[in-house]
Amino acid sequence: GGGNIKSVMVLLIIALIAYFMINPFPGSDKTLYSVLFYPWTNPTAVALSTNQDLGAMLFGENAATGRMVMGGIIGGLLLVWAFKSADFRGSFDNILGGLVVGLAVLAAWYVTSNIMVDADGDIMSMQAYAQDWDLYAPADAVKPASTAALASQSFTFINPMGQALGYTASGFDSTLLTFGVMALAGVIAGSLLWALISRSFRIEWFASFRDFVNHLIGAILMGFGGVLAMGCTIGQAVTGFSTLALGSILTFFAIVLGSALTMKVQYYKMVYEGEATFFKALITGLVDLKLLPAGMRKLEAV
Protein backbone atom coordinates (compact mmCIF):
# COMPACT_ATOMS: atom_id res chain seq x y z
CA GLY A 1 0.00 0.00 0.00
CA GLY A 2 2.96 2.33 0.55
CA GLY A 3 4.48 1.61 -2.85
CA ASN A 4 6.86 -1.23 -1.97
CA ILE A 5 7.00 -3.43 -5.08
CA LYS A 6 9.06 -5.95 -3.12
CA SER A 7 6.00 -6.54 -0.93
CA VAL A 8 3.89 -7.23 -4.01
CA MET A 9 6.26 -10.03 -5.03
CA VAL A 10 6.25 -11.45 -1.51
CA LEU A 11 2.44 -11.33 -1.38
CA LEU A 12 2.09 -13.15 -4.72
CA ILE A 13 4.51 -15.92 -3.73
CA ILE A 14 2.83 -16.42 -0.34
CA ALA A 15 -0.59 -16.43 -2.03
CA LEU A 16 0.46 -19.07 -4.56
CA ILE A 17 1.96 -21.40 -1.95
CA ALA A 18 -0.86 -20.86 0.55
CA TYR A 19 -3.46 -21.59 -2.12
CA PHE A 20 -1.93 -24.91 -3.21
CA MET A 21 -1.15 -25.92 0.38
CA ILE A 22 -4.92 -26.16 0.85
CA ASN A 23 -6.37 -26.55 -2.65
CA PRO A 24 -5.53 -29.43 -5.02
CA PHE A 25 -3.43 -29.00 -8.13
CA PRO A 26 -5.48 -28.77 -11.37
CA GLY A 27 -6.64 -32.23 -12.41
CA SER A 28 -5.44 -33.81 -9.16
CA ASP A 29 -6.59 -34.45 -5.61
CA LYS A 30 -3.11 -33.69 -4.23
CA THR A 31 -2.11 -30.52 -2.41
CA LEU A 32 1.32 -29.24 -1.39
CA TYR A 33 0.42 -30.17 2.18
CA SER A 34 -0.66 -33.72 1.36
CA VAL A 35 2.48 -34.33 -0.71
CA LEU A 36 5.15 -32.63 1.40
CA PHE A 37 3.90 -32.58 4.97
CA TYR A 38 0.96 -34.85 5.80
CA PRO A 39 2.86 -38.18 5.80
CA TRP A 40 5.26 -37.08 8.55
CA THR A 41 3.34 -34.37 10.42
CA ASN A 42 0.09 -36.27 10.94
CA PRO A 43 1.65 -39.02 13.13
CA THR A 44 2.94 -36.29 15.49
CA ALA A 45 -0.48 -34.67 15.97
CA VAL A 46 -1.64 -34.39 19.58
CA ALA A 47 -5.28 -35.09 20.43
CA LEU A 48 -6.63 -33.28 23.50
CA SER A 49 -9.62 -34.31 25.56
CA THR A 50 -10.80 -30.68 25.74
CA ASN A 51 -10.64 -27.58 23.59
CA GLN A 52 -7.09 -26.23 23.41
CA ASP A 53 -7.82 -22.85 25.03
CA LEU A 54 -6.38 -22.30 28.50
CA GLY A 55 -9.81 -21.82 30.07
CA ALA A 56 -11.01 -25.26 28.98
CA MET A 57 -7.70 -27.00 29.69
CA LEU A 58 -7.24 -25.59 33.20
CA PHE A 59 -10.82 -25.19 34.42
CA GLY A 60 -12.62 -28.12 32.81
CA GLU A 61 -16.39 -27.78 33.12
CA ASN A 62 -16.00 -24.16 34.28
CA ALA A 63 -14.36 -23.22 30.98
CA ALA A 64 -16.33 -19.97 30.56
CA THR A 65 -15.18 -18.71 33.95
CA GLY A 66 -11.67 -19.97 33.27
CA ARG A 67 -11.46 -17.99 30.05
CA MET A 68 -12.40 -14.79 31.86
CA VAL A 69 -9.86 -15.48 34.62
CA MET A 70 -7.00 -16.42 32.30
CA GLY A 71 -7.82 -13.59 29.90
CA GLY A 72 -7.75 -11.10 32.78
CA ILE A 73 -4.47 -12.43 34.16
CA ILE A 74 -2.65 -12.58 30.82
CA GLY A 75 -4.07 -9.24 29.66
CA GLY A 76 -3.08 -7.59 32.93
CA LEU A 77 0.46 -8.97 32.79
CA LEU A 78 0.87 -7.82 29.19
CA LEU A 79 -0.30 -4.31 30.09
CA VAL A 80 2.13 -4.12 33.00
CA TRP A 81 4.98 -5.37 30.81
CA ALA A 82 4.17 -2.92 27.99
CA PHE A 83 3.69 0.18 30.15
CA LYS A 84 6.78 -0.65 32.17
CA SER A 85 8.73 0.59 29.16
CA ALA A 86 9.29 4.34 29.19
CA ASP A 87 9.64 4.31 25.39
CA PHE A 88 6.22 2.71 25.05
CA ARG A 89 4.56 5.03 27.57
CA GLY A 90 6.03 8.04 25.80
CA SER A 91 4.75 7.05 22.37
CA PHE A 92 1.14 7.99 21.67
CA ASP A 93 1.41 6.15 18.33
CA ASN A 94 2.26 2.87 20.09
CA ILE A 95 -0.61 3.20 22.54
CA LEU A 96 -3.12 4.23 19.88
CA GLY A 97 -1.92 1.59 17.43
CA GLY A 98 -2.18 -1.20 19.98
CA LEU A 99 -5.63 -0.05 21.07
CA VAL A 100 -6.97 0.20 17.52
CA VAL A 101 -5.59 -3.20 16.45
CA GLY A 102 -6.99 -4.84 19.57
CA LEU A 103 -10.42 -3.29 19.08
CA ALA A 104 -10.40 -4.23 15.37
CA VAL A 105 -9.75 -7.88 16.24
CA LEU A 106 -12.48 -7.78 18.88
CA ALA A 107 -14.92 -6.12 16.48
CA ALA A 108 -14.31 -8.78 13.83
CA TRP A 109 -14.97 -11.57 16.35
CA TYR A 110 -18.17 -9.83 17.44
CA VAL A 111 -19.53 -9.10 13.98
CA THR A 112 -18.79 -12.51 12.45
CA SER A 113 -20.28 -14.23 15.50
CA ASN A 114 -23.50 -12.24 15.54
CA ILE A 115 -24.64 -11.90 11.93
CA MET A 116 -27.82 -13.96 11.73
CA VAL A 117 -30.12 -15.01 8.90
CA ASP A 118 -33.90 -15.08 9.22
CA ALA A 119 -34.89 -18.23 7.34
CA ASP A 120 -38.67 -18.29 7.36
CA GLY A 121 -38.71 -17.43 11.05
CA ASP A 122 -35.75 -19.63 12.00
CA ILE A 123 -32.88 -17.42 13.19
CA MET A 124 -29.54 -19.05 12.46
CA SER A 125 -25.91 -18.19 11.83
CA MET A 126 -24.61 -17.72 8.29
CA GLN A 127 -22.68 -20.98 8.46
CA ALA A 128 -25.70 -22.96 9.63
CA TYR A 129 -27.83 -21.37 6.91
CA ALA A 130 -25.30 -22.28 4.22
CA GLN A 131 -25.06 -25.84 5.51
CA ASP A 132 -28.86 -26.18 5.07
CA TRP A 133 -28.77 -24.22 1.80
CA ASP A 134 -31.08 -26.48 -0.18
CA LEU A 135 -33.69 -26.28 2.56
CA TYR A 136 -33.80 -22.52 3.05
CA ALA A 137 -32.20 -20.66 0.13
CA PRO A 138 -34.20 -19.37 -2.86
CA ALA A 139 -33.95 -21.54 -5.95
CA ASP A 140 -32.05 -18.92 -7.95
CA ALA A 141 -29.52 -18.15 -5.18
CA VAL A 142 -25.89 -19.27 -5.59
CA LYS A 143 -24.44 -21.25 -2.71
CA PRO A 144 -21.15 -20.00 -1.17
CA ALA A 145 -18.14 -22.04 -2.23
CA SER A 146 -17.23 -22.91 1.35
CA THR A 147 -19.21 -22.85 4.59
CA ALA A 148 -15.99 -22.79 6.65
CA ALA A 149 -15.39 -19.21 5.56
CA LEU A 150 -18.70 -18.20 7.17
CA ALA A 151 -17.72 -19.29 10.69
CA SER A 152 -16.76 -16.84 13.45
CA GLN A 153 -13.38 -15.36 12.56
CA SER A 154 -11.12 -12.38 12.88
CA PHE A 155 -8.06 -10.97 11.16
CA THR A 156 -5.52 -13.29 9.59
CA PHE A 157 -3.65 -12.91 6.32
CA ILE A 158 -1.75 -15.97 5.08
CA ASN A 159 -4.75 -18.12 4.09
CA PRO A 160 -6.72 -15.07 2.84
CA MET A 161 -3.83 -14.32 0.47
CA GLY A 162 -4.42 -17.75 -1.05
CA GLN A 163 -8.18 -17.15 -1.05
CA ALA A 164 -7.64 -13.82 -2.80
CA LEU A 165 -5.60 -15.57 -5.49
CA GLY A 166 -8.39 -18.12 -5.99
CA TYR A 167 -10.98 -15.34 -6.12
CA THR A 168 -8.97 -13.46 -8.77
CA ALA A 169 -8.22 -16.59 -10.83
CA SER A 170 -11.93 -17.49 -10.85
CA GLY A 171 -12.77 -14.25 -12.61
CA PHE A 172 -13.93 -12.64 -9.34
CA ASP A 173 -16.57 -15.24 -8.54
CA SER A 174 -18.57 -13.65 -5.71
CA THR A 175 -19.16 -17.05 -4.06
CA LEU A 176 -15.43 -17.08 -3.22
CA LEU A 177 -15.51 -13.77 -1.36
CA THR A 178 -14.70 -14.20 2.33
CA PHE A 179 -14.12 -12.00 5.34
CA GLY A 180 -10.40 -12.72 5.00
CA VAL A 181 -10.25 -11.57 1.38
CA MET A 182 -12.03 -8.32 2.22
CA ALA A 183 -9.87 -7.75 5.31
CA LEU A 184 -6.73 -8.18 3.20
CA ALA A 185 -8.04 -5.76 0.57
CA GLY A 186 -9.04 -3.30 3.30
CA VAL A 187 -5.58 -3.28 4.89
CA ILE A 188 -3.91 -2.66 1.52
CA ALA A 189 -6.40 0.09 0.64
CA GLY A 190 -6.03 1.67 4.08
CA SER A 191 -2.24 1.59 3.81
CA LEU A 192 -2.39 3.23 0.39
CA LEU A 193 -4.78 5.91 1.65
CA TRP A 194 -2.57 6.73 4.64
CA ALA A 195 0.57 6.78 2.46
CA LEU A 196 -1.11 9.30 0.16
CA ILE A 197 -2.46 11.44 2.99
CA SER A 198 0.87 11.49 4.83
CA ARG A 199 2.77 11.91 1.55
CA SER A 200 4.94 8.92 2.40
CA PHE A 201 4.06 6.92 -0.72
CA ARG A 202 7.17 5.98 -2.68
CA ILE A 203 8.07 3.21 -5.08
CA GLU A 204 10.66 0.82 -3.64
CA TRP A 205 12.54 -1.89 -5.51
CA PHE A 206 15.21 -4.42 -4.63
CA ALA A 207 18.49 -2.86 -3.54
CA SER A 208 20.52 -5.76 -4.96
CA PHE A 209 20.28 -9.32 -6.23
CA ARG A 210 21.00 -10.52 -2.70
CA ASP A 211 18.06 -8.44 -1.45
CA PHE A 212 15.86 -10.13 -4.07
CA VAL A 213 17.01 -13.61 -2.99
CA ASN A 214 16.38 -12.81 0.68
CA HIS A 215 12.83 -11.69 -0.11
CA LEU A 216 12.25 -14.74 -2.33
CA ILE A 217 13.40 -17.20 0.34
CA GLY A 218 11.48 -15.36 3.05
CA ALA A 219 8.28 -15.39 0.99
CA ILE A 220 8.57 -19.12 0.33
CA LEU A 221 9.16 -19.83 4.03
CA MET A 222 6.21 -17.63 5.00
CA GLY A 223 3.94 -19.35 2.49
CA PHE A 224 4.67 -22.80 3.88
CA GLY A 225 5.17 -21.76 7.49
CA GLY A 226 2.12 -19.52 7.66
CA VAL A 227 -0.19 -22.37 6.63
CA LEU A 228 1.54 -24.99 8.79
CA ALA A 229 1.34 -22.65 11.80
CA MET A 230 -2.27 -21.76 10.86
CA GLY A 231 -1.47 -18.05 10.89
CA CYS A 232 1.24 -15.42 11.05
CA THR A 233 2.05 -12.58 13.44
CA ILE A 234 -1.54 -11.35 13.16
CA GLY A 235 -3.50 -14.57 12.63
CA GLN A 236 -1.83 -16.43 15.48
CA ALA A 237 0.12 -13.97 17.64
CA VAL A 238 -2.72 -11.42 17.89
CA THR A 239 -6.01 -12.93 16.74
CA GLY A 240 -5.19 -16.48 17.81
CA PHE A 241 -3.73 -15.41 21.15
CA SER A 242 -6.99 -13.59 21.88
CA THR A 243 -8.73 -16.97 22.02
CA LEU A 244 -6.18 -18.19 24.64
CA ALA A 245 -5.45 -21.17 22.37
CA LEU A 246 -2.34 -23.08 23.42
CA GLY A 247 -1.34 -23.57 19.78
CA SER A 248 -1.47 -19.82 19.18
CA ILE A 249 0.60 -19.11 22.29
CA LEU A 250 3.26 -21.63 21.21
CA THR A 251 3.26 -20.14 17.71
CA PHE A 252 3.63 -16.62 19.12
CA PHE A 253 6.70 -17.52 21.18
CA ALA A 254 8.18 -19.43 18.24
CA ILE A 255 7.71 -16.37 15.97
CA VAL A 256 9.38 -14.08 18.53
CA LEU A 257 12.27 -16.51 19.00
CA GLY A 258 12.73 -17.03 15.26
CA SER A 259 12.62 -13.28 14.57
CA ALA A 260 15.08 -12.43 17.34
CA LEU A 261 17.50 -15.15 16.27
CA THR A 262 17.30 -14.15 12.60
CA MET A 263 18.09 -10.52 13.45
CA LYS A 264 21.02 -11.68 15.59
CA VAL A 265 22.39 -13.76 12.72
CA GLN A 266 22.02 -10.93 10.20
CA TYR A 267 23.59 -8.43 12.60
CA TYR A 268 26.66 -10.56 13.30
CA LYS A 269 27.14 -11.33 9.60
CA MET A 270 26.94 -7.60 8.84
CA VAL A 271 29.39 -6.58 11.58
CA TYR A 272 31.95 -9.32 10.97
CA GLU A 273 31.34 -9.68 7.22
CA GLY A 274 33.70 -12.34 5.83
CA GLU A 275 34.64 -13.78 9.23
CA ALA A 276 31.10 -14.63 10.32
CA THR A 277 29.70 -17.73 8.65
CA PHE A 278 26.02 -18.50 9.08
CA PHE A 279 26.89 -21.28 11.56
CA LYS A 280 29.08 -19.01 13.72
CA ALA A 281 26.46 -16.26 13.72
CA LEU A 282 23.71 -18.76 14.59
CA ILE A 283 25.61 -20.25 17.53
CA THR A 284 26.55 -16.80 18.82
CA GLY A 285 22.96 -15.63 18.50
CA LEU A 286 21.75 -18.62 20.52
CA VAL A 287 24.35 -17.77 23.18
CA ASP A 288 23.15 -14.15 23.28
CA LEU A 289 19.59 -15.42 23.80
CA LYS A 290 20.90 -17.63 26.62
CA LEU A 291 19.82 -20.79 24.82
CA LEU A 292 23.40 -22.13 24.71
CA PRO A 293 26.22 -21.88 27.28
CA ALA A 294 28.58 -18.89 27.00
CA GLY A 295 31.53 -21.18 26.34
CA MET A 296 30.13 -22.02 22.90
CA ARG A 297 30.33 -18.41 21.69
CA LYS A 298 31.98 -18.18 18.25
CA LEU A 299 32.07 -14.38 17.84
CA GLU A 300 32.71 -11.54 20.27
CA ALA A 301 29.51 -9.87 21.45
CA VAL A 302 28.68 -6.54 19.84
Side-chain angles (χ1 to χ4, degrees):
N4 192 331
I5 306 301
K6 296 185 288 186
S7 296
V8 176
M9 185 199 79
V10 169
L11 187 150
L12 291 175
I13 292 173
I14 293 175
L16 185 65
I17 294 174
Y19 181 82
F20 285 111
M21 279 286 282
I22 297 173
N23 297 280
F25 301 114
S28 168
D29 61 350
K30 302 292 186 181
T31 66
L32 279 173
Y33 178 77
S34 68
V35 172
L36 299 177
F37 299 101
Y38 180 83
W40 60 274
T41 58
N42 189 61
T44 66
V46 177
L48 301 176
S49 59
T50 66
N51 290 335
Q52 65 161 303
D53 67 273
L54 296 182
M57 294 179 67
L58 298 178
F59 290 79
E61 294 181 357
N62 298 316
T65 300
R67 288 164 187 148
M68 296 295 291
V69 171
M70 295 306 301
I73 292 174
I74 294 174
L77 290 174
L78 287 174
L79 284 173
V80 170
W81 178 74
F83 282 94
K84 188 177 179 180
S85 167
D87 289 339
F88 184 87
R89 294 196 308 271
S91 172
F92 176 74
D93 286 349
N94 282 344
I95 296 172
L96 179 62
L99 185 63
V100 169
V101 170
L103 289 174
V105 169
L106 175 63
W109 281 125
Y110 180 82
V111 170
T112 59
S113 299
N114 287 279
I115 294 179
M116 298 294 171
V117 178
D118 185 347
D120 299 326
D122 292 332
I123 307 300
M124 57 181 64
S125 68
M126 290 192 298
Q127 188 177 38
Y129 181 84
Q131 288 171 342
D132 290 330
W133 188 265
D134 294 334
L135 180 62
Y136 292 106
D140 59 346
V142 180
K143 184 178 180 178
S146 170
T147 60
L150 300 176
S152 300
Q153 57 195 288
S154 190
F155 289 91
T156 186
F157 294 106
I158 298 295
N159 188 40
M161 288 181 187
Q163 292 174 342
L165 179 64
Y167 170 63
T168 304
S170 72
F172 304 103
D173 180 357
S174 61
T175 66
L176 296 176
L177 270 180
T178 65
F179 172 86
V181 171
M182 297 307 297
L184 174 65
V187 168
I188 295 174
S191 299
L192 172 61
L193 179 61
W194 176 250
L196 294 175
I197 292 174
S198 62
R199 297 184 179 180
S200 59
F201 182 90
R202 64 181 184 277
I203 299 296
E204 293 185 50
W205 188 239
F206 299 102
S208 63
F209 180 73
R210 182 177 180 179
D211 186 35
F212 167 79
V213 172
N214 286 338
H215 278 77
L216 176 64
I217 294 173
I220 293 172
L221 292 175
M222 285 182 68
F224 285 114
V227 175
L228 290 174
M230 300 180 71
C232 56
T233 49
I234 296 296
Q236 283 283 46
V238 178
T239 298
F241 206 125
S242 73
T243 68
L244 302 179
L246 181 60
S248 297
I249 295 171
L250 291 173
T251 301
F252 166 69
F253 283 110
I255 288 172
V256 172
L257 174 61
S259 300
L261 186 58
T262 299
M263 287 192 291
K264 285 281 186 182
V265 170
Q266 289 183 324
Y267 185 62
Y268 276 110
K269 286 178 67 66
M270 179 181 66
V271 171
Y272 285 96
E273 295 185 358
E275 180 185 349
T277 63
F278 173 81
F279 178 75
K280 287 183 178 180
L282 176 63
I283 296 299
T284 304
L286 289 169
V287 172
D288 285 351
L289 295 173
K290 303 187 186 306
L291 296 174
L292 288 177
M296 295 185 66
R297 179 178 293 278
K298 301 296 182 181
L299 302 166
E300 290 296 322
V302 291

